[in-house]
């Protein structure tokens, strides 16, 4: 059932569930987060912890959005008014593949291509 509170959440691409939370508890939930009180509690504790970093005299929370990123999914957390909106999405971004070989293989490769003796600024360097 779509309400004014959740209609935008249901249209988020790749979302597989959502929660709307207040200090009183879960106001709405759907998908993989349907009735997930445990996740709601963990997210609210994270929000409370992050809110402790409030700037001196500031009335607003020190952040508006927080992401909790796992390999397969992401929790996108947004604070608006007195509500916390949590959307669980597929994580389609992957870490870039490393194209740099490890240090040992680079060193071995460099040693093979260096001449036996190298003259630099009048110094003679012997290979290792």
């Amino acid at each position: 059932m779509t309400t004014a509170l959740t209609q935008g959440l249901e249209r988020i691409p790749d979302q597989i569930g959502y929660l709307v939370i207040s200090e009183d508890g879960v106001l709405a939930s759907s998908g993989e987060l349907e009735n997930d009180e445990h996740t709601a509690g963990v997210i609210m504790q994270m929000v409370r912890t992050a809110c402790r970093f409030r700037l001196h005299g500031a009335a607003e929370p020190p952040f508006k959005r927080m992401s909790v990123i796992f390999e397969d999914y992401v929790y996108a957390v947004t604070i608006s008014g007195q509500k916390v909106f949590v959307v669980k999405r597929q994580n389609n971004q992957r870490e870039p593949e490393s194209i740099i070989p490890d240090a040992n293989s680079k060193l071995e490769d460099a040693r093979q291509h260096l001449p036996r003796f190298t003259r630099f600024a009048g110094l003679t360097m012997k290979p290792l």
Side-chain angles (χ1 to χ4, degrees):
M1 178 171 148
T2 301
T3 67
L5 190 63
T6 62
Q7 70 182 19
L9 299 174
E10 293 176 355
R11 288 185 266 149
I12 294 174
D14 298 327
Q15 72 96 354
I16 53 178
Y18 64 79
L19 290 165
V20 181
I21 314 166
S22 73
E23 284 295 330
D24 298 327
V26 176
L27 302 175
S29 62
S30 178
E32 289 188 8
L33 298 179
E34 181 96 35
N35 300 319
D36 192 342
E37 297 284 336
H38 176 73
T39 298
V42 171
I43 295 288
M44 284 303 287
Q45 188 60 44
M46 293 173 72
V47 168
R48 285 185 200 104
T49 300
C51 283
R52 288 188 204 142
F53 298 105
R54 192 175 303 244
L55 297 174
H56 182 67
E60 293 293 313
F63 68 97
K64 292 185 180 181
R65 290 180 191 85
M66 174 174 57
S67 297
V68 182
I69 303 170
F70 294 93
E71 186 175 343
D72 296 326
Y73 55 89
V74 175
Y75 290 107
V77 181
T78 303
I79 297 176
S80 180
Q82 299 297 311
K83 295 177 186 68
V84 176
F85 296 86
V86 181
V87 176
K88 184 177 181 180
R89 299 178 70 184
Q90 291 292 123
N91 185 8
N92 294 327
Q93 287 186 310
R94 298 287 180 225
E95 292 294 320
E97 297 273 336
S98 176
I99 59 171
I100 300 172
D102 69 6
N104 289 334
S105 66
K106 282 183 79 173
L107 182 60
E108 285 301 316
D109 190 47
R111 284 183 179 161
Q112 290 176 6
H113 292 92
L114 286 175
R116 282 294 198 208
F117 295 95
T118 305
R119 291 187 72 61
F120 178 73
L123 299 174
T124 301
M125 296 171 33
K126 294 183 181 180
L128 298 175

